[in-house]
């Protein structure tokens, strides 16, 4: 483990199941790097997140010997904060309602793959009937007009620990969703807002989220939030070389504990030399 070198880091799990070794790696990495390390529960998706998973993860982290600083922030209690950001961006003409279904997007001839999946083809941008559809209660998401947003923000980059400054291109993601149809917020919005609110100075997370940093930098620029540093850690891979995931049967920390492994042994399994 390196000596702590960042002021404030955070571990931000989504309580959709039991923690596995990949989560333990992220938590250990955040804790090792931060003089202060916060815990945030990213549970805006009520259909996938369960309170009993939050309770279990708190217990598993304590068993692992990890203690966090300050109060735990539980995102589902703060929808009003996210709504205020959406209002501000909407008032500046940077959001538009999107009525498309997943199938509509996939079927659009111009739909292309970007760093975070299908790039939205812009079908609802500037739609003449948007106001009427909204008034009629049509289900809709709110998307960021990335071209407009970038015209305001200018060129963006981020500082990656060990690599230095890296240019980034939010446009590659297309017009991302900031408020979902089923949830009045989104991962990108909540994570960028909360990192700023909580004074996180170094965002630590798995390398699978490195591409998302472009969108977070754009939101920070638009909202005049401070720019944190970033440290993306290598993902823990299974024997098949693929990232560990619950759906592929990665053992939970709880299962390892019940099989008699000591916390130190599990920490060693999850370690990444940080
Ligand atoms: N909640 C996200 C996850 O569990 C992590 C978000 C982040 O660290 O930026 O994958």
């Amino acid at each position: 483990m390196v000596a702590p070198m960042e002021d404030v880091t955070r571990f931000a799990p989504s309580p959709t199941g039991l923690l596995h070794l990949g989560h333990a790696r992220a938590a250990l990495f955040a804790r090792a790097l931060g003089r202060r390390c916060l815990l945030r529960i990213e549970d805006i998706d009520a259909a996938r997140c369960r309170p009993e998973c939050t309770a279990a993860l708190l217990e598993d982290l304590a068993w692992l010997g990890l203690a966090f600083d300050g109060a735990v922030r539980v995102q589902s209690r703060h929808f009003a904060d996210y709504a205020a950001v959406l209002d501000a961006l909407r008032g500046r003409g940077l959001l538009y309602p999107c009525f498309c279904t997943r199938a509509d997007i996939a079927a659009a001839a111009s739909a292309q793959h970007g760093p975070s999946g299908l790039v939205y083809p812009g079908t609802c941008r500037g739609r003449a009937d948007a106001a009427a559809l909204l008034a009629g209660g049509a289900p809709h998401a709110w998307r960021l007009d990335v071209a407009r947003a970038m015209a305001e923000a200018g060129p963006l980059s981020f500082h990656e620990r060990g690599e230095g400054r890296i240019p980034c291109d939010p446009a590659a993601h297309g017009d991302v969703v900031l408020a979902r149809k089923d949830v009045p917020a989104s991962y990108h919005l909540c994570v960028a807002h909360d990192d700023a609110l909580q004074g996180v100075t170094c965002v630590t997370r798995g390398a699978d989220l490195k591409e998302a940093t472009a969108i977070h930098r754009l939101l920070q620029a638009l909202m005049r939030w401070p720019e944190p540093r970033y440290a993306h850690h290598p993902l823990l891979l299974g024997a098949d070389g693929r990232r560990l995931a619950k759906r592929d049967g990665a053992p939970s920390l709880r299962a390892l504990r019940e099989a008699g492994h000591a916390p130190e042994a599990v920490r060693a399994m999850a370690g990444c030399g940080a």
Side-chain angles (χ1 to χ4, degrees), residues 10 12-14 23 40 42 187 191 203-205 209 216:
R10 80 325 189 255
S14 298
H23 295 110
R40 185 164 76 223
E42 302 210 324
Y187 160 67
V191 92
V203 171
T204 61
R205 58 187 174 203
L209 289 170
H216 305 167

Side-chain angles (χ1 to χ4, degrees), residues 51-105:
E52 59 272 26
C53 294
T54 300
L57 78 81
L58 294 174
E59 195 187 304
D60 290 346
L61 291 170
W63 174 77
L64 212 51
L66 284 171
F68 293 88
D69 299 291
V72 177
R73 179 168 172 95
V74 179
Q75 287 188 329
S76 60
R77 297 183 191 151
H78 299 284
F79 279 111
D81 289 3
Y82 312 131
V85 180
L86 291 166
D87 282 345
L89 294 173
R90 209 183 282 115
R92 288 158 61 184
L94 294 171
L95 302 187
Y96 63 87
C98 170
F99 306 92
C100 294
T101 63
R102 273 176 207 275
D104 292 335
I105 297 169

Side-chain angles (χ1 to χ4, degrees), residues 97-156:
C98 170
F99 306 92
C100 294
T101 63
R102 273 176 207 275
D104 292 335
I105 297 169
S110 53
Q112 292 176 348
H113 277 274
S116 50
L118 274 188
V119 174
Y120 181 63
T123 321
C124 291
R125 197 188 308 121
R127 229 181 129 131
D129 58 352
L133 286 167
L134 285 178
H140 59 280
W142 287 93
R143 289 186 181 270
L144 181 66
D145 185 331
V146 172
R148 272 195 186 196
M150 285 181 63
E152 281 198 20
L156 294 168

